[in-house]
């Protein structure tokens, strides 16, 4: 039976994995970053190139980035689907006289991390180690936002020793029942 690694062994192992991952990603002909909602790719190119020299083909499931007539920097199936109408690319000047092709990909599924831009990428990242940025309530869909707000309200009520929204609902029902039945004695009624 194998024993679990100690916290320091796990920390060292994670640091080694991060260093290896960083080294592998540095070997790619592009840099990429992601949030839970989108992914950005930057491909460095020569400063004398213009937009018409660049070939970018984006579909829901594929991406190709190349200088016309040359081997592509990226060419393959995307790890996951994107929203093509919400995705775009530009050619931008960067320091040192160079340029970069900046590609913004809007993820179709806003609840998953990508381990690579394309499935045939030479190197992949360990998505289980991704630490997401804090999200804002405004980023959530209506139903999820309502549920989170209710949970936050109930938590605040409990901290102040006040009834939660569910308990308030039960008390309202009891009040209505009492109003409809004034002949009944509710002095010993308990809510559970």
């Amino acid at each position: 039976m194998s024993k679990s690694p100690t916290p320091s062994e796990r920390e060292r192992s994670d640091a080694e994995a991060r260093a290896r991952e960083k080294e592998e990603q540095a070997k790619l002909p592009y840099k990429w970053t992601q949030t839970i909602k989108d992914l950005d790719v930057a491909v460095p190119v020569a400063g004398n190139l213009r937009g018409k020299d660049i070939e970018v083909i984006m579909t829901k499931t594929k991406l190709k980035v190349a200088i016309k007539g040359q081997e592509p920097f990226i060419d393959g199936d995307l790890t996951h689907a994107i929203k093509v109408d919400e995705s775009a690319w530009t050619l931008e000047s960067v320091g040192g006289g160079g340029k970069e092709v900046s590609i913004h990909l809007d993820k179709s599924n806003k609840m998953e991390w990508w381990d690579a831009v394309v499935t045939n990428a030479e190197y992949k990242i360990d998505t289980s180690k991704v630490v997401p940025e804090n999200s804002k309530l405004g980023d959530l869909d209506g139903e999820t936002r309502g549920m989170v707000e209710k949970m936050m309200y109930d938590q605040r009520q409990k901290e102040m020793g006040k009834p939660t929204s569910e308990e308030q609902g039960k008390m309202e029902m009891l009040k209505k029942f009492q109003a409809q039945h004034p002949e009944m004695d509710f002095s010993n009624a308990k809510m559970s």
Side-chain angles (χ1 to χ4, degrees):
M1 187 163 112
S2 67
K3 69 175 198 158
S4 296
T6 65
S8 63
E9 289 172 335
R10 190 171 32 252
E11 200 172 291
R12 185 173 53 253
S13 171
D14 286 350
E16 289 169 1
R18 278 193 305 273
R20 185 182 65 252
E21 201 171 85
K22 188 175 183 178
E23 186 179 307
E24 290 172 350
Q25 292 296 311
K27 293 177 185 174
L28 294 171
Y30 54 89
K31 302 279 180 251
W32 67 285
T33 58
Q34 67 178 315
T35 67
I36 197 72
K37 295 191 280 184
D38 52 32
L39 190 131
D40 292 299
V41 182
V43 182
V45 295
N48 64 339
L49 294 176
R50 297 172 49 184
K52 67 180 183 177
D53 301 320
I54 307 295
E55 178 183 21
V56 177
I57 300 171
M58 260 188 280
T59 69
K60 184 176 181 170
T61 58
K62 293 186 182 296
L63 177 66
K64 179 180 179 182
V65 181
I67 297 171
K68 287 182 181 169
Q70 296 184 21
E71 279 293 307
F73 297 102
I74 304 172
D75 188 10
D77 292 331
L78 291 166
T79 304
H80 299 285
I82 62 166
K83 294 180 180 176
V84 179
D85 293 343
E86 302 296 321
S87 301
W89 72 273
T90 58
L91 180 62
E92 301 173 357
S93 295
V94 292
K99 291 186 178 177
E100 74 179 17
V101 179
S102 287
I103 304 146
H104 175 80
L105 304 174
D106 196 61
K107 295 178 179 178
S108 286
N109 182 342
K110 307 230 183 258
M111 297 306 291
E112 65 189 349
W113 295 103
W114 294 22
D115 63 355
V117 178
V118 286
T119 56
N120 63 351
E122 199 170 338
Y123 306 107
K124 303 195 184 299
I125 65 167
D126 181 357
T127 57
S128 69
K129 304 289 186 200
V130 173
V131 179
E133 72 279 359
N134 288 333
S135 57
K136 300 172 189 69
L137 276 177
D139 294 343
L140 302 173
D141 64 76
E143 183 179 336
T144 306
R145 180 179 176 162
M147 185 173 63
V148 170
E149 286 176 338
K150 179 184 180 295
M151 289 167 55
M152 290 169 58
Y153 172 81
D154 287 345
Q155 184 63 35
R156 279 193 306 271
Q157 290 294 97
K158 279 183 182 178
E159 287 171 0
M160 295 186 297
K162 295 181 177 179
T164 64
S165 54
E166 189 175 317
E167 292 166 340
Q168 288 173 341
K170 287 179 180 177
M171 289 178 3
E172 287 297 318
M173 284 176 49
L174 179 61
K175 283 181 186 175
K176 285 181 184 174
F177 190 77
Q178 285 175 328
Q180 292 171 350
H181 302 281
E183 72 281 359
M184 297 179 76
D185 178 21
F186 291 95
S187 58
N188 294 324
K190 292 193 172 138
M191 296 296 289
S192 59

